[in-house]
Amino acid sequence: MRTLPALALAGLCLLLAPRALADGDPARGKQLLFERGCAACHSFDGSARPGPTYLSLVGKTRKVVTQEKPRELVADEAYIRRSIVEPNHDVVEGYMPGAMPGLAMREGDVDHLVAAILEIGGAPKPEPAKGAKDGSLRAIASATLVFVLGHIGLSSLTLRRPLIQRLSEKGFQGIYSLLVLAAFVWMIFAYRAAPYVELWRAPPWTRWIPLVVMPIAFLFMVCGYSTQNPTQMMQEKAVGAEPRGIVRITRHPALWSFALWGMAHLPPNGDVASICLFGGIAFLAIAGMLHIDSRRKVALGEAWEPFAAKTSLVPFARGGVGKALAEIGIVRFVVVILLYVGMLHGHRLVIGVSAMP
């Protein structure tokens, strides 16, 4: 139950709201909520996200922890402004300190953000129907299942051989690519539409995991697609050549790039939709390595054994890293650095959330 001082503060907050809206532009503020990644962690409609919802925020009494001491305060303009500028000053009870990163602000940005949050949080809105949430989660689960099983099924010799006989190799590859692309697009749209259903609340330090792992993933990707390798599509004839570069580290560098990308994004994203997306891609990449090894062993026969003996599925298991790095060459490392820097700067624009902790 609210105390009289709390109700008085709530009334004061509502009186202050029009002035804040005059100082900032709510429309620009809403754009900033998406550009700065706020909308990825805070919902506008009451649905569960990693951070508290903006719905009916204004005038609400909130239990917070300030300098390790619990207290109650009312969500007024000053509180909202302080939460943007000093996100770890008043941490809402039940949330981890440091989960919200500090944001670099241009002049006027804070006013616009405050105006937008006051407008969004001033009037209650109906919560999404439970059936709609369940349907969205079923969609991402179904899309991921189709994406994974479609890859595995169409790559199996049981289905692949008769389809190639009917469609030809090029025809099969064309249809295979279209079906896989369609499943991937469906999975991405389903992920974006899925509600945030939390399985665990990730500690802030987990956001460093992708930052550390992604340079390795980029190196494997760049080298994997630019090095002759019999595990790659249409490169079976390279089985007799001496393994070079990244192939000395692992014979499946391209697939490891996707596996590392998926696994690195699981710890900081503890919701159902992220488990489906990142877990599905990581599982498919690892299953794909085992499947390709099995197929190449059958298709290449005795020629496969010497290559398999000189290389490893698991990265760095065979040693020879120094020689591999020398053979990779400086150009590939430059490309990796450019991709990584581009990812750091473009992550917020493309994904809606900053890559930095």
Side-chain angles (χ1 to χ4, degrees), residues 47-68:
S47 59
R49 293 280 176 87
T53 183
Y54 293 142
L55 178 70
S56 303
L57 167 68
V58 178
K60 200 175 258 186
T61 301
R62 299 172 77 78
K63 293 182 179 181
V64 301
V65 177
T66 305
Q67 295 181 347
E68 300 183 356

Side-chain angles (χ1 to χ4, degrees), residues 25 72 100 114 121 125 131 154 161 168-169 203 206 222 226 232 235-236 278 280 282 299 311 314-315 335 340 343:
D25 178 6
E72 290 189 358
M100 177 175 167
V114 170
K125 298 177 183 178
L154 290 173
R161 280 174 176 166
S168 78
E169 181 71 34
T206 58
V222 170
S226 62
Q232 290 283 87
Q235 295 184 24
E236 291 87 345
F278 299 120
T311 58
V314 179
V335 173
Y340 186 63
M343 180 273 292

Side-chain angles (χ1 to χ4, degrees), residues 249-278:
I249 294 174
T250 173
R251 59 177 172 264
H252 295 288
L255 286 176
W256 268 114
S257 71
F258 291 104
L260 290 171
W261 175 78
M263 290 188 291
H265 283 77
L266 285 172
N269 294 283
D271 63 288
V272 173
S274 294
I275 298 302
C276 288
L277 177 69
F278 299 120

Side-chain angles (χ1 to χ4, degrees), residues 144 147-149 151-152 155 176 187 217 220 225 231-232 250-263 276-293 313-315:
T144 303
F147 181 70
V148 172
L149 294 183
H151 265 91
I152 295 173
S155 298
Y176 175 88
M187 186 169 63
F220 281 9
Y225 287 117
T231 64
Q232 290 283 87
T250 173
R251 59 177 172 264
H252 295 288
L255 286 176
W256 268 114
S257 71
F258 291 104
L260 290 171
W261 175 78
M263 290 188 291
C276 288
L277 177 69
F278 299 120
I281 289 174
F283 173 82
L284 176 60
I286 295 170
M289 300 177 209
L290 299 172
H291 181 70
I292 289 171
D293 278 4
L313 185 149
V314 179

Side-chain angles (χ1 to χ4, degrees), residues 125-295:
K125 298 177 183 178
E127 288 194 27
K130 186 178 183 299
K133 288 185 180 180
D134 292 343
S136 296
L137 289 176
R138 281 195 295 269
I140 179 63
S142 300
T144 303
L145 197 62
V146 170
F147 181 70
V148 172
L149 294 183
H151 265 91
I152 295 173
L154 290 173
S155 298
S156 67
L157 294 177
T158 306
L159 288 177
R160 189 184 186 93
R161 280 174 176 166
L163 288 173
I164 288 176
Q165 288 175 357
R166 289 190 177 187
L167 303 171
S168 78
E169 181 71 34
K170 287 185 178 181
F172 170 78
Q173 290 296 341
I175 291 177
Y176 175 88
S177 300
L178 285 174
L179 290 175
V180 166
L181 178 62
F184 181 73
V185 170
W186 179 24
M187 186 169 63
I188 295 301
F189 275 96
Y191 175 75
R192 293 177 68 89
Y196 183 89
V197 178
E198 187 175 84
L199 295 177
W200 67 79
R201 183 157 297 156
W205 63 265
T206 58
R207 296 191 66 185
W208 285 97
I209 296 175
L211 286 176
V212 174
V213 172
M214 286 310 295
I216 304 171
F218 280 133
L219 178 66
F220 281 9
M221 181 183 69
V222 170
C223 296
Y225 287 117
S226 62
T227 305
Q228 284 290 311
N229 185 350
T231 64
Q232 290 283 87
M233 188 183 299
M234 310 297 288
Q235 295 184 24
E236 291 87 345
K237 292 181 180 179
V239 71
E242 182 69 17
R244 288 182 56 81
I246 198 71
V247 185
R248 294 184 186 274
I249 294 174
T250 173
R251 59 177 172 264
H252 295 288
L255 286 176
W256 268 114
S257 71
F258 291 104
L260 290 171
W261 175 78
M263 290 188 291
H265 283 77
L266 285 172
N269 294 283
D271 63 288
V272 173
S274 294
I275 298 302
C276 288
L277 177 69
F278 299 120
I281 289 174
F283 173 82
L284 176 60
I286 295 170
M289 300 177 209
L290 299 172
H291 181 70
I292 289 171
D293 278 4
S294 176
R295 276 182 48 199

